[in-house]
Amino acid sequence: MKKCPRVIIETRSLFNSPFVLINVLILSVGLKCKTLVREVRKNKHTLIDLRNESSVTGLIKHVDGQMNVEMASVIFYDPQGRVHKFKDFYVSSRNIRYVHIPEGLSSVELIKNQLARLQQTTVREPKRDNFKTIRAKRYNEEILRSLNEPQPGSSKS
Amino acid sequence: MADDLDNIPSITVKEPLDLVRLSLDERIYVKMRNDREIRGRLHAYDQHMNMILSDAEETITTVEIDEETYEEVYRTTKRNIPMLFVRGDGVILVSPPMRTS
C-alpha cells in the first residue's frame, strides 16, 4: 500500500468551533472511510446498503484500505426482500452505497482522533551508522587532521 | 466599515472541491445515481466525494406507467437516517438545498 495521494480532509466539529483544516498525507486512499467504519466495529450492528438494493447488517470485523468490509453474524436482505443469515460476510467496496453509522458515535471526533494519531510522526534516530557513513566520517576526520597539521615551510592555516 | 472589510479572513477557493468545503456543516442537497437524492448536513467529505451526512433524508423517485391511461406516475419514497456515510462513486452533484419543497 505505497500510494500516497495528498488528501485534504476537512471537518468541522459539531459544536460550531472554528474551522479546522487538516492536511494529511495518507498511505491508503480510503482512509477516512476505513477510519470511520473501523471505529464502528464490534460495538453495534452496522447496516450497509449495497448498490444492488440489498442490505447487510452485522458486526464489522475488518475494513481494509480500499474499504472492503468483512463482517460477522450478518443478516442479509436481498433485493427481493428475502432474509438470509450468514456467519461471515464480505462486501467489496464497489458494492457499497451507504453505511448507516450507528448512533452514539461522533463521526467527526473519531476521524479527528485517527488523523491526530497518524500525524504524530515519531522521529526515528538511526541507532548505528551504516558502514558508508562510518567510512566517510573517518576520511573526513583524517582530512581535517592533515589540514590542521603544521605544514613544513608554509604557514597557511 | 472599511475596517471590517480588512478583517474578513480570506477563504481561498482554488479548485472545485473547495466549493464543497464552503458547504461544510451546512445542509446540502446531493443528487445521486439511480434517481436518488439526499438532503442532509455535511460533516466530512474527501476527494472521492465520500461524505458523511447527519439527519439525512433520502428520496428515491420511481416512475410507474399506468397501463390503462398510459400516464406516468412519479412516486417518491423517503427515508430518514440519523448519520449516513455515502460512497462517492454514487454521487452526481452536490449543491446547497433548493428551496422548492
Side-chain angles (χ1 to χ4, degrees):
Chain A
M1 290 239 184
K2 288 295 180 187
K3 309 186 214 179
C4 292
R6 182 161 168 273
V7 173
I8 300 176
I9 302 180
E10 326 240 357
T11 63
R12 272 192 192 172
S13 98
L14 295 166
F15 304 108
N16 290 329
S17 62
F19 187 76
V20 174
L21 182 80
I22 303 173
N23 276 355
V24 206
L25 254 177
I26 56 173
L27 291 175
S28 62
V29 175
L31 179 69
K32 183 179 78 150
C33 336
K34 177 174 75 165
T35 307
L36 193 60
V37 183
R38 205 175 248 172
E39 293 296 329
V40 162
R41 68 169 172 168
K42 285 189 198 165
N43 247 344
K44 298 183 181 181
H45 279 251
T46 319
L47 178 69
I48 299 184
D49 286 349
L50 304 178
R51 270 202 318 189
N52 60 355
E53 323 281 334
S54 54
S55 335
V56 199
T57 173
L59 302 165
I60 295 179
K61 261 202 303 193
H62 187 260
V63 186
D64 73 0
Q66 301 300 321
M67 216 166 94
N68 300 317
V69 183
E70 210 183 304
M71 298 171 77
S73 57
V74 306
I75 302 175
F76 173 68
Y77 302 91
D78 69 8
Q80 284 74 42
R82 287 187 299 249
V83 179
H84 308 261
K85 288 197 181 153
F86 298 109
K87 266 198 254 177
D88 298 289
F89 202 81
Y90 178 86
V91 185
S92 77
S93 60
R94 278 285 286 162
N95 288 313
I96 295 175
R97 187 181 271 145
Y98 305 127
V99 176
H100 297 241
I101 300 169
E103 299 191 49
L105 300 168
S106 168
S107 51
V108 177
E109 293 301 315
L110 289 172
I111 296 178
K112 278 198 199 167
N113 291 342
Q114 272 279 349
L115 290 175
R117 248 178 278 161
L118 286 169
Q119 278 187 309
Q120 287 168 6
T121 48
T122 50
V123 180
R124 286 197 292 180
E125 302 286 349
K127 288 181 193 168
R128 266 187 65 87
D129 290 335
N130 55 6
F131 173 74
K132 285 187 177 175
T133 325
I134 295 173
R135 183 181 58 180
K137 283 188 178 170
R138 205 182 331 130
Y139 283 172
N140 213 14
E141 286 170 26
E142 284 178 18
I143 293 169
L144 285 177
R145 233 179 294 133
S146 65
L147 285 176
N148 287 336
E149 274 171 11
Q151 299 286 343
S154 67
S155 57
K156 275 195 181 162
S157 63
Chain B
M1 284 294 274
D3 208 18
D4 286 340
L5 286 171
D6 289 337
N7 287 339
I8 294 172
S10 57
I11 300 173
T12 49
V13 175
K14 280 195 185 147
E15 45 177 47
L17 275 188
D18 292 341
L19 285 174
V20 183
R21 174 159 59 104
L22 296 178
S23 306
L24 268 179
D25 222 22
E26 310 276 345
R27 286 202 70 85
I28 53 162
Y29 162 82
V30 183
K31 183 178 181 139
M32 298 197 37
R33 303 178 71 173
N34 295 118
D35 305 308
R36 285 158 197 262
E37 296 155 13
I38 304 184
R39 286 169 198 273
R41 168 155 279 133
L42 179 67
H43 283 289
Y45 73 98
D46 67 3
Q47 84 275 32
H48 301 291
M49 299 302 280
N50 297 325
M51 290 184 283
I52 297 179
L53 301 166
S54 68
D55 303 320
E57 178 200 290
E58 182 204 21
T59 307
I60 308 171
T61 306
T62 51
V63 184
E64 289 171 16
I65 299 183
D66 196 338
E67 283 303 314
E68 296 134 39
T69 61
Y70 292 104
E71 64 177 87
E72 293 170 347
V73 178
Y74 285 88
R75 197 160 293 161
T76 61
T77 324
K78 291 202 183 187
R79 273 204 308 183
N80 279 304
I81 303 133
M83 185 69 78
L84 184 72
F85 170 88
V86 181
R87 192 173 152 90
D89 58 14
V91 173
I92 296 177
L93 63 86
V94 175
S95 150
M98 302 174 299
R99 286 285 157 235
T100 50
S101 50

